[in-house]
Amino acid sequence: MADAPKPLLHVEHLCKEFPVESGLIASHMKNARKVHAVNDVSFDIMPGETFGLVGESGCGKSTTGRCIMRLTEPTSGLVEFEGKDVGKMNKRELKALRRDMQFIFQDPYASLNPRMTIGEIISEPLIIHNVMPNADERIAFVRELLDVVGLNPEHINRYPHEFSGGQRQRVGIARAFALRPKLIICDEPVSALDVSIQAQVLNLLTDLQKEYGTAYLFIAHDLSVVQHISDRVAVMYLGSMMEYSDWRSLYAEPCHPYTQSLLSAVPIPDPDVQHSRKRIILKGDPPSPIEPPSGCLFHTRCPIAQARCSSETPQLREIAPGHFCSCHFAEPNPIKDASIEL
Amino acid sequence: MSDNTTQPAGEQAVEQAQAKEFSAAPSRTLWGDAFQRLRRNKLAVAGAIWIILMVIIAISADLWVPQTLGNPTQTDSTTMASMSRLPPSLEHPFGTDTLGRDVLCRVIYGARISLAVGVLATAISTLIGLVMGALAAYNGGIWDTIIMRFADIFLAFPYTLFVIAMLAVIGPGIQNVFIAIGVLGWPSIARVFRSAILSVKENDYVDAARAMGASDARIIVRHIFPNSVASIVVYATMNIGGAILTESALSFLGMGVVPPDPSWGIMIQDGQTYLATQPWLMIMPGIAILTTVLAFTLLGDGLRDALDVKMKDA
Amino acid sequence: MFGFGRKKKQATDWVDLKTQPVPEGHHLLEVNDLKMYFHTQDGVVKAVNGVSYTLDRGETLGVVGESGSGKSVTSLTIMGLIDMPPGKIEGGDVLYRGRSLVKMTEEEMEHIRGNDIAMIFQDPMTSLNPVYTIGRQLSEGMILHRGYSKQQALQRSIELLQMVGIPNAEQRVKDYPHEFSGGMRQRVMIAMALACDPDILIADEPTTALDVTIQAQIIELMQKMQEENGNAIIMITHDLGVVADIADKIMVMYAGQPVEFGTAEEIFYEPIHPYTWGLNRSIPDPVIDEKRPLTPIKGNPPSLVNAPAGCAFSPRCPYATDLCRTEQPPTYVTETGHYSRCHYAHDASFVSANAPETSRTKTMLDHAADAVAAAQEGGEA
């Protein structure tokens, strides 16, 4: 397929394990217990697209994002950015990579240095990469950027604590866009914000994407937010990818029982719809990532699990063009009888 | 921000209202804020004023003390008998000592030594502590283990005994007091700085700096240091008081400053024989130690509250 | 909340209000124009400013608002859990079965809390005491309010844990909070709140810290418990989906004021306050096939210290007029009790021109279009 568009980011068999014991000796023991945070994750991101990554807390979605940027060193697997192996990059190459790949953090309070003005914060990437050596030019650019993200350019000399959460998140976005990166990893960028502010930030991200053609890896736990912003969506559970597809078919015809129950668990802000639909209530809690279940990771909570599921690990396979699912019994809406069990 | 749906009129008013809301509040820096909070703490201000007063008196002593109160070290054998151990009077506000020297004069010159020991020894400890703490916290792993276990070993010995033992090896004298107190004081500073760095390192803005390709040096200088230095300022301030106490204790035991140089510890040691009859000989230098150490502690306490970023909205 | 370590009170000298009938002409809980202000260094914070609603047994009230809207403070005020000072009730009253909670002494309130009105909090990690077993914490309230013996209380604790769906309850009752997962702890909190069979259960963002599959479990559990016990629920949340799921009545709060109150039907299908519209337009709709652009509310929530002169929402309201910016709007009430604090809420043409489309109006429009099409076909034939 010579003509197929080249992916901007290619992730293959990415794995990350964290030692449970933190001691110097214990963590190097051969049979030390490990948290399997990310387990054999593969996907591609095309230039300019938004790839959503959803899952519950502890499913490894944030770790995946951090491994791609090498903020956390992956245990194994391949990450390629524009065909270059990120894992093999030395310090200089990594610095160059970070011009093209940026990060937006969840917590607008912790992600801005309280001792720097927002002008200093936004111009920091420009200084590091020596993009605009002229200070006047840089200040003019930062003011312009503040205006673009909807902040008053006159506030360039203010400190983060003088801003509200939503405004701080705009500062974080301005910083990420300062170098006009090709890919931005957004780690729960709106989950700390109020509903009305959430919408402001989501619209800003969409507008900026339209203008600059940036691709997003959008990590979030809120399915409706991910659906709203993403072109393609992947669902993670216990460090593994359960299903991924374009947003329309994933939300309309989820083929993995986990995706289906996740979607049915999101309450819809419309009483008519909410009261008329069937809800699938999953039993129990997600298992511990230290000792993940054998076979299919979801079989302990799956309403349609069979004997095969606990012994045989399902592979991620293409069940329809562009729609991948890792379930032995993948089909649209696999859970037919939505029984409520507590 | 552009919007996809048309918004009715009133949008401008929204923006105007926002602009107004912002222009009303003047821009404040975090250090400026901290200073404002410090000023509201009366005890800390009292401590700071006392320290400043002491420093001014100690520095300017050569200009006026010998003329009015006499020489702190020299004795005049001809008048010694008549001048010995006089009670406080207008001429000698703190009285005189056994050798007929003015006690106030010796307290003032003693302040020079005490303040110098406090500041210099703390500077030495802080410098070593900062380097060690930063190495341990930033590199982690084996560095952290070795440095912190080394610090634990230091802290396992009684501090004053350790200083005495060191002075016994390198000999008494004012420079050696600086060195002994300073060199042996680093472990607690290293610990404080290490934990400060570790908690600052957890913040997303450090990751943000890494994500934009900042070098380690830049991350330490621009992000970690400015946010962890507050705890060191507080700790060092309190440590000065501690160093002054240690110096006095050493001099009292005869391991510190060598007579006839005036030191509060030596003065107390000299005066203890006369506690029942001429108590001022001991009480005056005692008050000097008490007030100075208290002033540093109060200032340190105030700084801790003022520099706490969490209290910024209070 | 159960007064750990306090002297054990005799239940005999207290008439249990729960057993008393609701007096004629009263509701189970009536909040009338409640005002709670905090007097701080920076000025007076009007955290709760004129909240009114009524609640009966078996009903669920959803309180919706953003952070700092006063939705939690309102409930804490009802429970008498606000420190005074800095807090001060500046007006209004709370009647529980016709008795004023505001005028009750602290001792009387201790009988109310946990026994008649119980509360569960957002963070199940910090609302349980880590040094006591689950069983002991569950028993505490029953020993205090019901005069149970330790053995009776423990037995009842096990029943409660089974009731909220904790497997292996006989064993788990001896465990400590850290041995439970977040969802399980929230179940324990619900068991604890329901231990004395309260009339009213106040749930302050009970599912915000939980994952969506666990949230579904907890909501399901609260509904089931309500069906069995007939208690009323006050559900405080920022999530419109959660209130759509469980609320009968909804109060929308903004800057300490209830800007709109009505039945769930009214709030979702006939909202009359621009802030409610704004919230509605701000959230992505999870059921639509096409992506609808979001219309956020401009600006940021106001500071409660320097509240705007007129309507609190006027600086962010796209429809605000000079009247809105200068004069506080009155409370406009319809015959059904649906109320709104907006100068233009009574103006039907203003409302119908600006209210967002809902799934109901959409079906109505579709039906109308179908009817027109059918009529045309019929005409042609």
Side-chain angles (χ1 to χ4, degrees):
Chain A
M1 288 219 296
D3 295 323
K6 281 224 177 88
L8 181 68
L9 181 80
H10 174 71
V11 178
E12 213 176 299
H13 305 305
L14 186 72
C15 290
K16 175 67 191 175
E17 292 164 352
F18 292 104
V20 179
E21 278 86 8
S22 57
L24 194 62
I25 301 162
S27 57
H28 289 96
M29 302 268 279
K30 214 172 191 172
N31 55 358
R33 293 192 303 159
K34 289 188 180 97
V35 176
H36 301 266
V38 179
N39 200 353
D40 195 14
V41 164
S42 308
F43 60 93
D44 287 338
I45 296 180
M46 296 295 162
E49 86 164 334
T50 303
F51 190 84
L53 207 52
V54 278
E56 302 183 88
S57 52
C59 72
K61 54 191 192 299
S62 291
T63 311
T64 306
R66 294 176 60 89
C67 283
I68 290 169
M69 273 210 92
R70 277 181 68 190
L71 285 176
T72 303
E73 289 295 330
T75 308
S76 64
L78 174 73
V79 177
E80 272 182 358
F81 186 79
E82 294 187 307
K84 284 170 288 192
D85 187 344
V86 174
K88 290 206 179 73
M89 287 183 177
N90 59 28
K91 264 195 173 170
R92 203 168 42 82
E93 289 167 318
L94 207 56
K95 187 175 167 182
L97 169 81
R98 285 170 177 171
R99 269 189 78 153
D100 290 331
M101 216 200 271
Q102 279 291 318
F103 210 97
I104 296 173
F105 294 84
Q106 168 175 7
D107 186 347
Y109 294 84
S111 61
L112 306 179
N113 186 339
R115 310 241 177 236
M116 285 164 84
T117 65
I118 61 165
E120 288 171 334
I121 289 170
I122 298 172
S123 52
E124 192 172 20
L126 302 170
I127 295 169
I128 289 170
H129 293 278
N130 204 16
V131 180
M132 271 174 221
N134 181 326
D136 291 338
E137 196 187 339
R138 203 162 57 220
I139 289 168
F141 180 75
V142 170
R143 293 174 73 100
E144 194 188 308
L145 210 52
L146 281 173
D147 191 47
V148 168
V149 298
L151 292 171
N152 187 341
E154 299 303 315
H155 298 159
I156 187 164
N157 288 323
R158 298 197 168 198
Y159 286 85
H161 70 268
E162 298 172 70
F163 294 88
S164 69
Q167 290 169 323
R168 289 184 210 209
Q169 203 57 303
R170 287 171 192 266
V171 174
I173 291 171
R175 172 175 64 188
F177 270 95
L179 293 168
R180 300 270 181 276
K182 293 177 182 136
L183 173 70
I184 295 183
I185 297 172
C186 311
D187 189 1
E188 303 259 16
V190 298
S191 50
L193 307 176
D194 272 323
V195 203
S196 69
I197 309 297
Q198 237 178 40
Q200 292 177 358
V201 172
L202 287 175
N203 278 3
L204 175 64
L205 286 171
T206 324
D207 291 345
L208 288 171
Q209 182 172 48
K210 263 184 218 145
E211 196 165 335
Y212 302 118
T214 321
Y216 291 139
L217 173 60
F218 195 94
I219 300 165
H221 69 276
D222 186 330
L223 279 110
S224 20
V225 166
V226 171
Q227 174 196 24
H228 175 79
I229 200 159
S230 306
D231 301 310
R232 287 189 301 149
V233 180
V235 180
M236 283 183 77
Y237 182 76
L238 271 186
S240 288
M241 211 168 255
M242 295 285 115
E243 182 168 7
Y244 82 91
S245 159
D246 71 276
W247 70 272
R248 201 178 303 249
S249 67
L250 188 100
Y251 280 77
E253 292 185 332
C255 293
H256 198 287
Y258 177 65
T259 315
Q260 194 191 350
S261 27
L262 203 58
L263 283 169
S264 90
V266 181
I268 290 168
D270 189 331
D272 286 354
V273 181
Q274 178 63 16
H275 293 151
S276 63
R277 70 197 191 124
K278 274 187 180 165
R279 207 161 29 172
I280 303 155
I281 305 272
L282 289 178
K283 287 175 286 181
D285 295 312
S288 154
I290 299 169
E291 285 153 2
S294 62
C296 172
L297 292 168
F298 185 56
H299 84 261
T300 55
R301 298 174 81 199
C302 182
I304 56 166
Q306 307 203 357
R308 181 183 168 196
C309 300
S310 55
S311 55
E312 202 179 316
T313 310
Q315 295 302 313
L316 197 66
R317 59 198 167 94
E318 192 162 13
I319 49 167
H323 193 142
F324 294 80
C325 180
S326 71
C327 174
H328 295 305
F329 308 103
E331 57 170 321
N333 293 311
I335 307 173
K336 302 298 179 203
D337 176 31
S339 58
I340 288 168
E341 204 175 327
L342 275 165
Chain B
M1 239 177 95
S2 75
D3 228 6
N4 294 322
T5 45
T6 46
Q7 280 282 353
E11 198 170 305
Q12 262 192 328
V14 172
E15 259 127 50
Q16 276 167 5
Q18 297 239 303
K20 224 190 281 169
E21 181 195 325
F22 270 107
S23 49
S27 182
R28 305 175 303 184
T29 65
L30 280 168
W31 288 104
D33 270 7
F35 185 66
Q36 290 300 325
R37 277 197 298 275
L38 188 64
R39 274 190 10 184
R40 264 185 259 145
N41 185 335
K42 291 196 179 66
L43 285 174
V45 171
I49 290 175
W50 183 248
I51 292 166
I52 292 169
L53 208 68
M54 294 274 295
V55 169
I56 292 174
I57 291 176
I59 288 176
S60 65
D62 277 343
L63 299 177
W64 56 279
V65 173
Q67 289 81 354
T68 50
L69 301 169
N71 192 295
T73 49
Q74 272 175 5
T75 50
D76 187 345
S77 52
T78 54
T79 58
M80 203 199 282
S82 60
M83 291 294 288
S84 177
R85 299 202 296 279
L86 292 176
S89 63
L90 265 182
E91 202 183 340
H92 302 288
F94 284 14
T96 59
D97 70 359
T98 320
L99 300 177
R101 294 169 298 196
D102 183 84
V103 173
L104 177 60
C105 168
R106 281 177 66 80
V107 166
I108 289 173
Y109 277 91
R112 284 185 154 192
I113 289 181
S114 287
L115 288 174
V117 169
V119 171
L120 283 177
T122 301
I124 295 172
S125 316
T126 307
L127 205 70
I128 304 175
L130 286 185
V131 172
M132 293 298 209
L135 279 177
Y138 201 76
N139 291 327
I142 192 86
W143 280 88
D144 192 21
T145 309
I146 291 175
I147 291 174
M148 291 331 284
R149 289 304 82 76
F150 198 54
D152 287 345
I153 293 169
F154 266 71
L155 289 170
F157 288 98
Y159 178 63
T160 316
L161 276 185
F162 209 176
V163 175
I164 290 173
M166 186 159 170
L167 281 174
V169 175
I170 61 176
I174 187 81
Q175 289 94 338
N176 290 352
V177 171
F178 289 156
I179 293 168
I181 298 179
V183 166
L184 297 179
W186 71 268
S188 36
I189 297 221
R191 273 194 165 184
V192 172
F193 195 48
R194 171 181 173 270
S195 61
I197 293 180
L198 286 181
S199 71
V200 170
K201 241 174 96 174
E202 285 304 301
N203 277 309
D204 281 345
Y205 57 80
V206 175
D207 271 339
R210 286 176 64 201
M212 64 182 92
S215 61
D216 284 357
R218 186 181 175 87
I219 290 173
I220 294 175
V221 172
R222 290 288 283 165
H223 298 282
I224 293 180
F225 192 72
N227 285 289
S228 45
V229 76
S231 59
I232 290 307
V233 170
V234 173
Y235 197 84
T237 309
M238 296 201 171
N239 200 63
I240 293 177
I244 289 174
L245 272 182
T246 311
E247 182 273 328
S248 300
L250 290 174
S251 298
F252 180 84
L253 295 171
M255 299 297 294
V257 176
V258 185
D261 280 347
S263 156
W264 295 340
I266 291 179
M267 291 171 73
I268 290 180
Q269 207 258 334
D270 288 345
Q272 63 173 339
T273 334
Y274 310 102
L275 182 60
T277 49
Q278 286 92 15
W280 61 87
L281 288 181
M282 193 169 165
I283 287 177
M284 293 310 174
I287 288 176
I289 294 176
L290 178 90
T291 50
T292 311
V293 174
L294 189 66
F296 277 108
T297 309
L298 289 176
L299 179 64
D301 245 358
L303 280 172
R304 178 173 53 214
D305 293 345
L307 288 170
D308 189 351
V309 181
K310 273 186 250 91
M311 289 184 51
K312 64 172 182 277
D313 296 318
Chain C
M1 65 188 279
F2 293 115
F4 287 110
R6 295 234 183 86
K7 205 171 60 191
K8 192 173 146 187
K9 298 240 160 45
Q10 291 303 313
T12 46
D13 59 341
W14 172 256
V15 186
D16 203 348
L17 273 183
K18 241 174 357 191
T19 59
Q20 305 289 305
V22 178
E24 200 67 37
H26 280 289
H27 293 275
L28 178 69
L29 184 73
E30 291 171 32
V31 180
N32 299 323
D33 200 26
L34 185 67
K35 289 182 176 145
M36 161 64 83
Y37 296 175
F38 289 98
H39 297 266
T40 67
Q41 273 189 352
D42 298 326
V44 179
V45 177
K46 297 178 179 176
V48 179
N49 196 356
V51 169
S52 305
Y53 59 80
T54 62
L55 190 67
D56 286 305
R57 272 185 75 83
E59 276 187 338
T60 301
L61 169 75
V63 181
V64 188
E66 299 179 88
S67 46
S69 63
K71 54 190 196 300
S72 296
V73 182
T74 307
S75 306
L76 291 172
T77 308
I78 293 169
M79 292 284 275
L81 289 173
I82 300 281
D83 286 334
M84 300 195 232
K88 190 166 181 242
I89 295 177
E90 300 274 341
D93 206 349
V94 181
L95 298 179
Y96 168 67
R97 290 183 183 263
R99 295 272 311 263
S100 168
L101 294 183
V102 172
K103 295 194 185 82
M104 277 189 190
T105 62
E106 176 58 27
E107 199 179 315
E108 286 174 308
M109 278 311 289
E110 274 175 25
H111 287 284
I112 298 287
R113 286 198 284 264
N115 191 31
D116 300 280
I117 308 177
M119 196 157 180
I120 49 179
F121 295 92
Q122 172 175 356
D123 191 350
M125 304 295 162
T126 54
S127 11
L128 288 166
N129 189 332
V131 302
Y132 294 124
T133 61
I134 293 297
R136 174 157 177 194
Q137 298 190 50
L138 275 166
S139 305
E140 191 91 40
M142 291 182 278
I143 294 170
L144 188 75
H145 293 300
R146 289 282 169 96
Y148 279 18
S149 72
K150 267 193 177 168
Q151 202 48 47
Q152 279 175 308
L154 194 70
Q155 197 50 47
R156 174 83 178 128
S157 302
I158 293 171
E159 284 169 31
L160 283 165
L161 289 184
Q162 281 166 339
M163 199 168 82
V164 296
I166 289 181
N168 204 5
E170 293 86 357
Q171 293 303 313
R172 298 294 274 173
V173 80
K174 294 177 206 139
D175 285 349
Y176 287 88
H178 71 262
E179 295 168 273
F180 288 75
S181 69
M184 284 295 166
R185 282 187 223 199
Q186 203 57 294
R187 283 171 190 262
V188 172
M189 287 305 296
I190 291 173
M192 197 184 267
L194 296 176
C196 292
D197 195 13
D199 262 344
I200 302 168
L201 176 65
I202 301 179
D204 189 353
E205 304 255 13
T207 59
T208 306
L210 305 174
D211 280 322
V212 41
T213 56
I214 310 297
Q215 165 174 296
Q217 293 174 353
I218 296 295
I219 290 177
E220 203 71 40
L221 174 69
M222 287 179 65
Q223 283 177 319
K224 193 178 134 218
M225 294 290 118
Q226 186 178 29
E227 267 167 39
E228 285 172 15
N229 304 333
N231 59 302
I233 295 178
I234 299 178
M235 178 68 131
I236 303 164
T237 178
H238 67 276
D239 189 333
L240 282 173
V242 171
V243 287
D245 197 3
I246 107 167
D248 304 308
K249 294 174 172 176
I250 295 170
M251 178 166 71
V252 183
M253 287 192 70
Y254 184 79
Q257 300 181 349
V259 290
E260 186 166 1
F261 172 82
T263 62
E265 296 260 306
E266 285 162 342
I267 297 293
F268 277 102
Y269 301 116
E270 296 150 25
I272 49 177
H273 195 285
Y275 178 65
T276 316
W277 302 341
L279 278 186
N280 217 312
R281 290 193 176 108
S282 300
I283 44 171
D285 188 339
V287 278
I288 36 120
D289 298 332
E290 287 309 317
K291 291 192 184 187
R292 176 186 71 158
L294 300 178
T295 312
I297 304 172
K298 299 267 164 191
N300 294 289
S303 120
L304 294 175
V305 181
N306 302 312
C311 168
F313 187 55
S314 65
R316 301 177 71 190
C317 180
Y319 316 105
T321 61
D322 285 338
L323 176 67
C324 302
R325 282 185 277 273
T326 49
E327 223 169 282
Q328 293 252 0
T331 305
Y332 166 73
V333 193
T334 71
E335 304 99 65
T336 56
H338 182 187
Y339 72 70
S340 167
R341 275 199 193 173
C342 174
H343 285 294
Y344 299 99
H346 64 276
D347 184 348
S349 60
F350 169 77
V351 170
S352 61
N354 296 307
E357 209 176 47
T358 68
S359 61
R360 282 200 188 163
T361 53
K362 228 181 282 175
T363 16
M364 265 162 57
L365 287 177
D366 287 350
H367 281 313
D370 287 349
V372 171
Q376 277 175 350
E377 263 175 46
E380 277 162 26

